[in-house]
Amino acid sequence: MPPQRRRDIFLRDHNGVEVGGCYISCLSLIQSLLISGQGLRQHGSVTHSDVYAMVEIISILNEDFRLYRWNGLPWEEVAPDDREAAAGDYTILRPDRSPVEVVLTDETTLNRLLSAASTPRTSKFRDDIRARDGGCVVTSIRAEDEEWDGFAASHIFPRAWENVWQQQNYRRWVTSDPPHLDPPGRRSIDSPRNGLVLQDNVHRLFDTWGFSINPDNGYKITTFRSDAFGLDGRILHQSCRNPDDPRRVSDELLRWHFRQAVLFNVKGAGEPLWEWDFPPGTDMIGEIMREPGGPRRMEIELATRLGQPIP
């Protein structure tokens, strides 16, 4: 059964209609102490400025706006600052508190499957980002003695959508590759600048928009669903973003991924969450077809398995 989406921040227009929302991850006390001890967690991951940024991604607003949080009477104006966002209802209005029309963007996310396992065509990609990252760049767990079991080479922009990569000329985001990092015959989508080493469990969440990394906010990690692994508020490891390293991860691609994650999770009611765990004997096709958006997922699954462009 697919997981159910949870929210505790609700974004509303002046009529009280929900136009979006997100979930503030709450860690247990033990998780918080462990992560704080590592010096990786910021205080208050989702801030007021983060919520403003999400509103700007999911909507078309041609004028200035403010957020007002219901906190009893009167409404509390929320400034776009770095204070931690509290759970509750946030209404989008003009600065003078008059109504403003909120139109949701028609921009949608690319449905993505889990990244494919390494193949001869992607082994160079895997080896390059392993050499650069040295371990998971989200949890900061390192691969000791070249033991890479439990780690995965993840594409930021999904390889299955290479036709879109080419159509939109996203190659321009990795064009600083020196010749030895962009050898003849290697596809630009397999540039190390389009990849991160992640632990296996973290990789799945990244591929399914469960969390993302905002390069415009100190490379902070924001989770959009429950945070069982304590990722929210961590900072992307320096190993993959050293400005002196020509293999460094592309800020433009991280920005693209963050935008996609916001559109997937925050816009409107959010996109349907898919089931990924199919034990032996499960009617996988039947379960997929019964999910919201199941026929589209099946279309993507078939195209990916056959190595064909996703229609």
Side-chain angles (χ1 to χ4, degrees):
M1 180 178 179
Q4 300 301 306
R5 188 175 294 283
R6 300 171 63 185
R7 283 180 169 173
D8 51 15
I9 285 182
F10 302 91
L11 301 171
R12 303 188 184 277
D13 67 11
H14 68 279
N15 290 316
V17 176
E18 184 179 340
V19 296
C22 60
Y23 178 63
I24 303 176
S25 299
C26 296
L27 295 177
S28 69
L29 177 60
I30 293 176
Q31 284 178 308
S32 298
L33 290 173
L34 286 173
I35 296 172
S36 296
Q38 295 171 15
L40 294 171
R41 185 174 177 82
Q42 295 184 342
H43 295 291
S45 177
V46 177
T47 65
H48 293 158
S49 60
D50 291 332
V51 179
Y52 270 85
M54 292 177 192
V55 170
E56 292 173 347
I57 288 173
I58 68 171
S59 62
I60 302 171
L61 288 166
N62 297 320
E63 54 187 305
D64 197 11
F65 71 94
R66 289 291 183 274
L67 295 176
Y68 294 86
R69 178 172 173 266
W70 176 253
N71 192 23
L73 291 174
W75 288 83
E76 173 192 6
E77 181 175 350
V78 175
D81 54 35
D82 291 331
R83 290 183 297 161
E84 182 178 357
D89 290 287
Y90 291 74
T91 298
I92 305 167
L93 300 171
R94 291 191 177 95
D96 63 4
R97 304 194 180 202
S98 62
V100 61
E101 184 180 12
V102 180
V103 178
L104 292 181
T105 177
D106 59 4
E107 184 180 355
T108 58
T109 56
L110 294 181
N111 295 113
R112 70 182 292 172
L113 305 178
L114 303 183
S115 296
S118 178
T119 68
R121 291 184 299 175
T122 60
S123 59
K124 181 74 165 64
F125 165 81
R126 177 201 63 199
D127 295 344
D128 281 344
I129 62 173
R130 280 181 177 179
R132 181 195 68 194
D133 295 350
C136 178
V137 294
V138 168
T139 64
S140 295
I141 293 176
R142 317 314 289 159
E144 300 293 340
D145 301 321
E146 294 297 308
E147 291 286 345
W148 291 100
D149 286 348
F151 296 89
S154 175
H155 285 79
I156 301 169
F157 188 98
R159 203 172 193 273
W161 286 99
E162 190 172 7
N163 57 331
V164 175
W165 172 275
Q166 294 170 347
Q167 291 164 7
Q168 300 297 322
N169 190 30
Y170 289 152
R171 177 188 175 91
R172 68 187 186 276
W173 290 340
V174 297
T175 51
S176 62
D177 284 0
H180 72 282
L181 292 181
D182 194 13
R186 181 163 82 175
R187 298 172 175 177
S188 61
I189 201 168
D190 290 327
S191 163
R193 304 199 66 203
N194 184 35
L196 300 169
V197 172
L198 302 173
Q199 287 178 251
D200 285 340
N201 54 349
V202 175
H203 179 204
R204 173 171 289 193
L205 287 172
F206 185 75
D207 273 6
T208 58
W209 316 117
F211 75 91
S212 194
I213 302 146
N214 188 351
D216 299 316
N217 193 5
Y219 297 91
K220 183 178 73 175
I221 293 160
T222 299
T223 59
F224 294 94
R225 303 199 283 273
S226 60
D227 188 26
F229 302 117
L231 308 180
D232 195 55
R234 290 174 179 263
I235 303 299
L236 188 68
H237 198 276
Q238 179 66 33
S239 61
C240 67
R241 55 186 177 90
N242 180 353
D244 297 324
D245 188 345
R247 303 169 300 174
R248 66 189 179 278
V249 66
S250 165
D251 282 357
E252 290 85 356
L253 286 168
L254 291 177
R255 194 172 292 118
W256 174 87
H257 187 279
F258 184 79
R259 184 178 186 88
Q260 290 279 300
V262 170
L263 290 169
F264 184 88
N265 293 286
V266 179
K267 176 186 166 185
E271 296 295 324
L273 302 177
W274 289 345
E275 178 62 77
W276 296 101
D277 187 13
F278 298 99
T282 301
D283 179 10
M284 179 177 175
I285 294 177
E287 284 202 27
I288 288 176
M289 293 300 289
R290 287 190 293 271
E291 290 179 344
R296 177 58 176 160
R297 178 182 180 181
M298 183 59 65
E299 189 177 31
I300 297 170
E301 289 270 9
L302 290 174
T304 301
R305 292 172 188 270
L306 294 173
Q308 298 175 351
I310 297 174

